[in-house]
């Protein structure tokens, strides 16, 4: 190969192009995906952006939050920042934990070690070890939600994380609250970016947009009014997340999110977390699934599962329906779950239901939480759980 030397030409742009399309040639079967340094605007179509070496401080964490959310303004929706400690500085477990919490809620998560400070999370002292484990487990639980957002991003150009003014363009607070962002339309994330005070909590504020009620992820039975600036005391094991009331968030069960490889596993177990309003409501969400590696989705090899919920007075009605992108026998589809275990969990459910039916057939109550084919109600947490027997995705429920 020859050497090209052209003034003001950034070779990274062209190199990223060829590295990316090398995967997508006629002989290739895998979709293109590379991690690269910034090749300039327009180069975002090829790589996951590499944020570069970071001298980690509280100020740099604050900027990473701002930059990651606002990058969707120029359609650069995927950034992989270095979640690491500064090589020549003292190990700051608190700051590193907060950096990891932000990373777990961002589109791309990467953490790095170096010769000065390693990233052996299992060797961290408490409470930092547990705090990091919790947020990484949450990231894995949200894979169905985040992967569906990735498909929406592919179709529309809208980032998974976006500034508040995308959803609330007419409110002045949306333009000044630059350290919080929407993760999809349902979840508001406000990572802590300042150190804890004497009470071992981070004191911070978060803006809750108007015309909605909000539920804190860690306290889902508490309803917060929209249109206010809420003062928070955030312990080290929490990243402030608020879910819009009247939403359904698709997840995988916590016990599966712990497992190695859970992020690439088939969506064979789906949990739908329902965050109700205090009045009647109806809502619909969906889960997109393909094999995660190939370009077969071009040819319809994917599934879309739509879940609807209608609450009317004292009754609740759920419908789950999956459709395939192409007419094909289920046994011929690779990388998509053909049979699923569905679970519906409703938070802040006021009392025991008098009857639960699946396809018109009454199912029994269980004293154990979320036992297959039965329902359970926890009076302490006020959570109703309905767990179905395995269902073929070709069957509506």
């Amino acid at each position: 190969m020859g050497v090209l030397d052209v003034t003001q030409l950034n070779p990274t742009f062209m190199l990223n192009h060829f590295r990316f399309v090398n995967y997508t040639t006629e002989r290739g079967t895998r979709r293109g995906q590379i991690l690269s340094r910034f090749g300039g605007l327009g180069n975002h179509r090829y790589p996951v952006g590499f944020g570069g070496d970071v001298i980690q401080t509280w100020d740099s964490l604050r900027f990473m939050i701002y930059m990651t959310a606002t990058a969707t303004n120029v359609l650069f929706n995927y950034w992989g920042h270095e979640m690491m400690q500064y090589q020549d500085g003292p190990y700051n477990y608190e700051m590193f934990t907060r950096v990891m919490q932000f990373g777990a809620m961002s589109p791309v998560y990467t953490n790095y070690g170096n010769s000065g400070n390693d990233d052996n999370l299992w060797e961290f002292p408490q409470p930092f070890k547990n705090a990091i484990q919790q947020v990484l487990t949450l990231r894995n639980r949200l894979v169905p939600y985040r992967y569906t957002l990735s498909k929406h991003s592919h179709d529309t150009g809208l980032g998974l994380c976006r500034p508040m003014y995308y959803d609330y363009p007419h409110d002045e607070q949306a333009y000044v609250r630059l350290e919080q962002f929407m993760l999809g339309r349902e979840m508001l994330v406000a990572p802590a970016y300042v150190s804890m005070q004497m009470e071992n909590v981070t004191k911070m504020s978060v803006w809750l947009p108007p015309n909605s009620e909000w539920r804190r992820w860690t306290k889902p039975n508490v309803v917060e009014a929209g249109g206010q600036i809420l003062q928070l005391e955030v312990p080290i094991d929490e990243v402030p997340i608020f879910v819009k009331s009247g939403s359904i968030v698709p997840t995988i069960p916590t016990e599966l999110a712990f497992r190695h490889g859970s992020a690439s596993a088939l969506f064979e177990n789906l949990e739908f977390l329902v965050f109700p309003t205090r009045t009647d409501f109806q809502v619909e969400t969906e889960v997109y699934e393909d094999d995660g590696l190939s370009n077969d989705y071009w040819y319809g090899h994917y599934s879309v599962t739509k879940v609807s919920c209608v609450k009317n007075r004292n009754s609740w009605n759920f419908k789950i329906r999956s459709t395939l992108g192409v007419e094909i026998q289920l046994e011929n589809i690779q990388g998509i779950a053909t049979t699923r275990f569905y679970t519906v969990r409703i938070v802040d459910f006021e009392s025991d239901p008098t009857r639960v039916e699946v396809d018109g057939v009454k199912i029994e109550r269980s004293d154990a939480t979320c036992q297959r084919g039965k329902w359970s109600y926890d009076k302490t947490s006020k959570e109703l759980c309905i767990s179905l027997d395995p269902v073929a995705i070709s069957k509506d429920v």
Side-chain angles (χ1 to χ4, degrees), residues 124-320:
F124 278 30
Q126 300 293 11
F128 309 103
K129 176 182 174 181
N130 280 349
I132 294 173
Q133 183 184 51
Q134 287 179 30
V135 76
L136 293 183
T137 300
L138 175 58
R139 178 178 178 83
N140 281 0
R141 285 188 67 195
L142 291 173
V143 163
Y145 181 72
R146 293 189 297 106
Y147 196 67
T148 303
L149 291 180
S150 293
K151 180 58 166 63
H152 293 169
S153 178
H154 172 80
D155 292 342
T156 67
L158 183 63
L160 287 71
C161 300
R162 59 257 199 165
M164 300 301 299
Y165 47 78
Y166 273 53
D167 292 82
Y168 305 95
H170 302 297
D171 199 301
E172 181 181 352
Q173 283 293 323
Y175 296 88
V176 297
R177 292 284 165 171
L178 302 179
E179 295 81 24
Q180 63 182 66
F181 55 85
M182 296 298 296
L183 180 61
R185 294 191 179 277
E186 291 80 13
M187 303 181 72
L188 185 160
V189 183
Y193 59 88
V194 295
S195 182
M196 293 189 294
Q197 285 76 33
M198 293 295 292
E199 298 85 352
N200 289 325
V201 295
T202 296
K203 294 184 178 181
M204 57 180 289
S205 64
V206 61
W207 172 61
L208 300 180
N211 303 321
S212 298
E213 293 179 332
W214 299 84
R215 295 178 182 269
R216 194 167 173 175
W217 184 268
T218 55
K219 298 177 181 178
N221 295 344
V222 179
V223 178
E224 300 288 356
Q228 66 164 319
I229 297 175
L230 191 64
Q231 302 299 322
L232 301 180
E233 293 185 351
V234 184
I236 191 62
D237 62 353
E238 181 186 0
V239 50
I241 299 172
F242 290 83
V243 182
K244 189 184 300 183
S245 291
S247 297
I248 302 175
V249 178
T251 70
I252 61 174
T254 300
E255 61 270 19
L256 298 182
F258 275 110
R259 297 182 183 178
H260 179 71
S262 60
S264 58
L266 303 183
F267 293 164
E268 294 176 321
N269 289 266
L270 287 177
E271 285 190 347
F272 300 104
L273 307 185
V274 183
F275 297 81
T277 64
R278 289 183 286 188
T279 58
D280 295 346
F281 73 100
Q282 62 182 34
V283 65
E284 183 178 272
T285 192
E286 66 181 28
V287 176
Y288 172 85
E289 182 180 23
D290 60 26
D291 64 20
L293 292 173
S294 77
N295 294 316
D296 287 349
Y297 70 95
W298 290 351
Y299 313 108
H301 287 219
Y302 62 84
S303 71
V304 176
T305 300
K306 293 186 180 293
V307 183
S308 64
C309 168
V310 177
K311 178 182 180 292
N312 186 11
R313 295 186 179 180
N314 296 322
S315 68
W316 294 70
N317 190 295
F318 289 88
K319 291 183 180 179
I320 303 175

Side-chain angles (χ1 to χ4, degrees), residues 322-341:
S322 293
T323 57
L324 301 177
V326 66
E327 292 292 334
I328 190 172
Q329 295 295 319
L330 288 179
E331 58 267 21
N332 295 329
I333 293 183
Q334 302 296 319
I336 299 175
T338 56
T339 300
R340 287 206 180 113
F341 293 93

